[in-house]
Amino acid sequence: MVSTRNKFSSKFGFIAAAAGSAVGLGNIWKFPFEVGKNGGAAFLLLYLLFCFVLCYPLLITEIAIGRNAQKSPVGAFKAIHHPKWTFMGILGVLAGVLILSFYTIVTAWVFGYFVEMLLGNFRVGDQFSEFIQDIEMIGGYSLFILAVVAFIVSRGVTRGIEKASKILMPVLIFILFFLITYSLTLDNALEGIKFYLVPDFSRINVEVIYRALGQAFFSLSLGMGILITYGSYLKKKEDIVFSGAVITLADIAIAFLAGLMIFPIVFSQNLSTDGGAGLIFITMPGIFATMAPGWGIFIGSLFFLLLAFAAITSIISLLELPVSYLVDQHEIKRDNAVWIAAGIVFLLSIPSLLGSGYSAYFTQFITYYGSEVPIDFMTFLTDVSSNTLLPFVGLLTSLFTVYVWKRKKLFQELNHGSENFSSSWLSKYVGFCLQFIAPAVLAVTFVVTILEIFFGVQLFS
Ligand code: PHE
């Protein structure tokens, strides 16, 4: 059967779109603050380890499942004749929608800061918390962003997703390099580099492992079927093994570079690395404000523009997920599906919007057993969706592939476009990781972290 599904027009188009999905706020906003909060280089090491042994094999598996089934996640499992596994697709779509609901809010902060920089308002220090409590403004920005992305997604795969990514990704890389060069020249830059690159293993504990794992999944957009969806738009002649490696390395590289940009600045300003979600919003404007005014405005706006670009290509992929589900499974027209999905996401984003200090209820939403500090709704949502659901779906994906779909079928699919894959050492590595390492690591981490973090059971700490 010849599929008539809309396809990426080139290898570069696919890589740009998938890397565009992977590279986002996760790399430039979330990665540095997680590193800062969770032990610096120790966290970095764990993250890298997870990327190579768990995420890369799972990433090419997701793409292969999608291309083989020619369907977005929910349909994909039906199409490879395993209707029982459909719930996995549904879990993925659910995780994607939840993530999108807070992702649009952070993107709205970013966009707001971009506008402020342009106007010459640096908003250093505490002004960040004030800023995000202006819920009408942030809500307005988030509506605007959703509308822009909805427009791009409604144009379809090639003219919308692919085209936007091809332009935005190279610009992003250029701006990042520019800023790193600058930050490395600051006083105390070396202290920042040390914190970032010299590991202190005593900082590793269950929570650090949990967050590093969640970060690896989140950053590579794994575990919710985005790559299944993108894989379904991929031609048979394309090499998944190679493209997957490029996507993984590009994602790691950009997160790594973001750290290299930020820690010298944090240390040069004597700030705490523990700034959490506000880290880049507090550190970066501080540095822009110390530059000559014209420069500060120019570089500051560039920086937030870079972040906004990175976020938009990720939001595109996150929105494409429920959209492709509605189109494939419910035969809703693409245009309508886009606006329905965007509307639902906007409603779901309201608690995250309110949880930034505006409403006490959502700001101190929950206190985990055994902890004293209440966390806000957005952090809670990140824990549930990205740190827990994604690795859980990853676990199911590895089990599904090894025991239901079977390695042989996976390798056959990967052989298209990468002829000798199934007889190469890489296939042995991928097979081993999927069959043994992924299930073991993911299952143990899943159980331990649920018990320790959510229920306060002290197993290791
Ligand atoms: N990977 C994106 C980032 O790093 C976020 C994302 C997560 C996008 C899940 C799509 C799916 O920001």
Side-chain angles (χ1 to χ4, degrees), residues 21-27 103 218-221 224 226 314 317-318:
S21 164
V23 175
L25 296 175
N27 305 60
Y103 208 87
F218 180 83
S219 179
L220 281 164
S221 308
M224 66 191 90
I226 286 191
S314 298
S317 71
L318 279 163

Side-chain angles (χ1 to χ4, degrees), residues 354-372:
L354 299 178
S356 49
Y358 183 85
S359 130
Y361 176 73
F362 287 112
T363 308
Q364 298 170 344
F365 186 66
I366 190 171
T367 308
Y368 295 148
Y369 291 99
S371 153
E372 266 115 61

Side-chain angles (χ1 to χ4, degrees), residues 41 43 239:
F43 179 92
D239 182 346

